Structure formats: C-alpha cells, structure tokens
Amino acid sequence: MSEEIDLSTVLSVLDDEYAREILTHTSVEPMSASTLSERCDASLPTIYRRLDRLEECRLVTEETELAADGNHYSVYSANLDRLELSLEDGAFDLELTYREEDVADRFTRMWEGMR
C-alpha cells in the first residue's frame, strides 16, 4: 500500500455508500460528475466531495474530455483493481492494486475525445 494512504482513510472512504457506487459505475466506463449524480441519485456537491476523497486515495482518476462544441469536462474512472485486507501477527495490512492502462488504449481514448 502507498505510504501516504493509510488503512483507516481507505476504509472510511469505502464505508460510504456513494463512494462505493461511484467506484462501481466508473469501473465499467468513465463518467462525468453530472452522470454520476444521476446514476447515484445524489447531488453534484455530494458527488464532488466523494470524488475528492476517492482521488486522495488514488481509487479514481480524473481525465479531461473535449466536447464537440469545443468545451471540455472531466470524466472519472475507477483506478482500483484489487483491495486485500489481511491480519497478520496482530496487525492489519492493506494492499491496494491499481489498474494499469495500456498506453495504446489511453491514446485511443484521448484521440476519440478530441473528435
């Protein structure tokens, strides 16, 4: 686990229903905050607060997409691949495994967002 992310922080974030829903939805496809607001039936401020906490733990990533009208907006993707919690010798250990995106896939997604 990353040294700057501790067990209690991650468990606190994952204890939140909205945070878990955000992870679930964004594990399928990248989504904007407004789309997440609709899917999670939560206000935009609630979604943004949860996204901030998830980003702090590196559980989601933010990318900028270009809209057809030239404006840009952020989309969020789950970055968590695996979470393993173990208890050994009287201490908990949390191991987070993050998704690794293929460079070609990332470039394709970026290119498609520019069209």
Side-chain angles (χ1 to χ4, degrees):
M1 183 177 85
S2 176
E3 294 172 17
E4 67 271 358
I5 303 169
D6 67 11
L7 171 66
S8 60
T9 302
V10 172
L11 293 179
S12 174
V13 169
L14 293 177
D15 187 42
D16 182 83
E17 179 182 348
Y18 291 124
R20 289 191 310 271
E21 280 190 65
I22 289 168
L23 281 174
T24 302
H25 290 299
T26 59
S27 71
V28 177
E29 65 181 307
M31 292 187 181
S32 67
S34 59
T35 300
L36 285 166
S37 176
E38 293 170 12
R39 298 263 176 101
C40 298
D41 194 28
S43 69
L44 270 175
T46 297
I47 294 299
Y48 279 118
R49 281 193 301 273
R50 294 334 185 269
L51 286 168
D52 285 343
R53 293 187 70 203
L54 288 164
E55 281 184 287
E56 288 172 9
C57 294
R58 296 179 40 214
L59 298 177
V60 297
T61 58
E62 176 183 9
E63 292 187 19
T64 302
E65 295 219 347
L66 187 62
D69 63 3
N71 290 319
H72 64 291
Y73 61 99
S74 294
V75 292
Y76 301 87
S77 300
N79 193 37
L80 177 66
D81 185 46
R82 181 184 172 109
L83 180 143
E84 186 176 321
L85 180 64
S86 59
L87 177 62
E88 294 181 30
D89 299 324
F92 284 102
D93 182 48
L94 180 65
E95 184 176 331
L96 298 172
T97 306
Y98 299 102
R99 291 183 176 185
E100 290 186 28
E101 185 175 30
D102 182 79
V103 174
D105 290 340
R106 186 180 181 107
F107 180 77
T108 300
R109 221 168 13 89
M110 181 182 75
W111 179 256
E112 288 174 350
M114 293 172 66
R115 289 196 267 168

